């Protein structure tokens, strides 16, 4: 493994050719590694997505995980989970791509998903939280590179911008953005600034969303976030608060 020094996020950077899943790999090493460590893999053999799904990645993707060790009351964890999407949207902007976040932390351009974030938290005996923040970003895929079930759903920077990107340059600029964003929101975490920043990147605010919550279809207007980062949906005459990341699945914005 090559080791490169940088700042908080990426203070220690490991790069491997192949691993099962950077989240899994980093989780196994987490106790012995410092806050901010990043592990990037050129290839994952069993990348994982939310809802225990497989995450498709190939050599055109960026796949890496960040180890965050912090003292944060558990009630803040859901809101805290929103920072990577803000950073990815900001980094893409620097590369000329206007993307948006989709609750809780997907990054999309229109209907196409460019990046996903999988956060796995472990609360330790000393009440420190170890969070493994896994990010997958599609960089240089063409449509034919995606498996058939992802065609029309997954996008890449190349598909949006119509050009090939230097993956290493994208990686380092993304790390910088993640570092800057993390330090900005977490030096003195109140949550308000992060909540506001996430809402500014959100592509479906005040739009009608079709979603599935605990297996039940729900249509409503996405009103924003409560103070804990839960989604607020106006469905008929009631406001539904969606707090459990595991049971929410946004299909798409179905109208304005
Ligand atoms: C999602 O379902 O949207 C989340 C996808 C997260 C994928 C990334 S790729 C790097 C890291 N390692 C994994 O196994 N998953 C995350």
């Amino acid at each position: 493994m090559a080791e490169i020094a940088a700042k908080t996020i990426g203070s220690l950077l490991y790069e491997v050719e192949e691993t099962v899943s950077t989240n899994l790999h980093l989780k196994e090493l987490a106790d012995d590694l410092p806050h901010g460590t990043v592990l990037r893999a050129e290839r994952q053999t069993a990348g994982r997505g939310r809802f225990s799904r497989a995450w498709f990645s190939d050599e055109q993707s960026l796949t890496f995980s960040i180890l965050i060790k912090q003292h944060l009351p558990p009630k803040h964890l859901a809101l805290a989970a929103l920072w990577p999407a803000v950073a990815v949207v900001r980094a893409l902007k620097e590369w000329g791509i206007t993307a948006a976040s989709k609750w809780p932390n997907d990054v999309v351009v229109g209907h196409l998903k460019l990046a996903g974030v999988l956060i796995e938290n472990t609360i330790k005996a000393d009440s420190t939280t170890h969070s493994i923040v896994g990010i997958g970003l599609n960089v240089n895929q063409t449509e034919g590179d995606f498996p058939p079930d992802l065609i029309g759903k997954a996008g890449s920077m190349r598909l949006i911008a119509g050009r090939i990107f230097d993956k290493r340059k994208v990686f380092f600029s993304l790390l910088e953005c993640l570092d800057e964003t993390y330090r900005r929101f977490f030096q003195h975490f109140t949550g308000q600034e992060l909540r506001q920043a996430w809402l500014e990147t959100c592509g479906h605010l005040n739009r009608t969303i079709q979603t599935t919550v605990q297996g039940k279809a729900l249509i409503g207007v996405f009103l924003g976030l409560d103070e804990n980062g839960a989604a607020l949906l106006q469905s008929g005459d009631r406001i539904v608060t969606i707090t459990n990341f595991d049971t929410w699945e946004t299909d798409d914005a179905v109208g304005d």
Side-chain angles (χ1 to χ4, degrees):
M1 288 210 253
E3 216 176 274
I4 303 159
K7 309 190 240 182
T8 307
I9 304 299
S11 53
L12 199 56
L13 168 61
Y14 291 106
E15 299 193 282
V16 296
E17 266 308 303
E18 184 175 293
T19 191
V20 174
S21 145
T22 55
N23 265 37
L24 208 64
H25 194 149
L26 193 55
K27 203 185 213 170
E28 278 163 10
L29 305 174
D31 286 343
D32 301 319
L33 289 173
H35 170 60
T37 301
V38 171
L39 171 68
R40 185 183 82 80
E42 197 53 35
R43 279 182 309 283
Q44 298 187 119
T45 53
R48 301 186 304 159
R50 295 171 59 233
F51 312 112
S52 309
R53 289 189 188 129
W55 175 257
F56 165 81
S57 61
D58 61 10
E59 62 280 9
Q60 313 299 341
S61 320
L62 272 176
T63 50
F64 62 100
S65 301
I66 308 165
L67 172 62
I68 300 293
K69 291 183 170 180
Q70 59 191 359
H71 281 283
L72 205 60
K75 66 171 183 169
H76 289 325
L77 287 175
L79 181 58
L82 302 177
W83 74 274
V86 174
V88 175
V89 169
R90 287 180 180 176
L92 287 173
K93 186 109 200 144
E94 287 176 12
W95 289 95
I97 295 174
T98 304
S101 55
K102 179 166 153 183
W103 192 86
N105 43 27
D106 287 352
V107 175
V108 297
V109 175
H111 295 296
L112 299 179
K113 177 162 161 176
L114 266 65
V117 179
L118 173 67
I119 302 187
E120 298 178 86
N121 295 314
T122 310
I123 300 177
K124 307 301 278 186
D126 66 354
S127 79
T128 310
T129 304
H130 287 188
S131 303
I132 308 291
V133 178
I135 300 177
L137 171 65
N138 300 327
V139 181
N140 281 326
Q141 285 91 350
T142 59
E143 208 170 57
D145 291 326
F146 291 111
D149 60 315
L150 291 184
I151 293 178
K153 293 182 183 166
S156 69
M157 292 175 69
R158 177 178 177 177
L159 278 172
I160 301 300
R163 69 181 181 91
I164 294 175
F165 290 85
D166 180 328
K167 226 173 76 168
R168 267 194 96 62
K169 284 194 182 154
V170 172
F171 176 55
F172 283 106
S173 78
L174 181 52
L175 273 192
E176 231 171 81
C177 222
L178 284 157
D179 183 57
E180 206 178 283
T181 310
Y182 179 81
R183 284 186 291 121
R184 169 151 199 113
F185 295 137
F186 290 91
Q187 226 144 31
H188 308 287
F189 186 79
T190 62
Q192 273 325 300
E193 204 186 350
L194 170 55
R195 194 164 153 262
Q196 191 50 40
W198 186 89
L199 286 170
E200 280 163 19
T201 64
C202 174
H204 51 75
L205 187 62
N206 298 321
R207 296 188 66 190
T208 302
I209 294 294
Q210 183 173 323
T211 177
T212 311
V213 179
Q214 279 159 340
K216 285 195 189 141
L218 191 66
I219 293 187
V221 176
F222 187 90
L223 298 177
L225 305 173
D226 74 4
E227 68 281 8
N228 297 319
L232 299 172
L233 208 67
Q234 174 90 51
S235 183
D237 54 5
R238 65 197 178 112
I239 295 178
V240 184
T241 305
I242 301 162
T243 53
N244 187 343
F245 286 7
D246 290 331
T247 58
W248 153 285
E249 192 174 346
T250 307
D251 294 335
D252 261 320
V254 291
D256 294 315

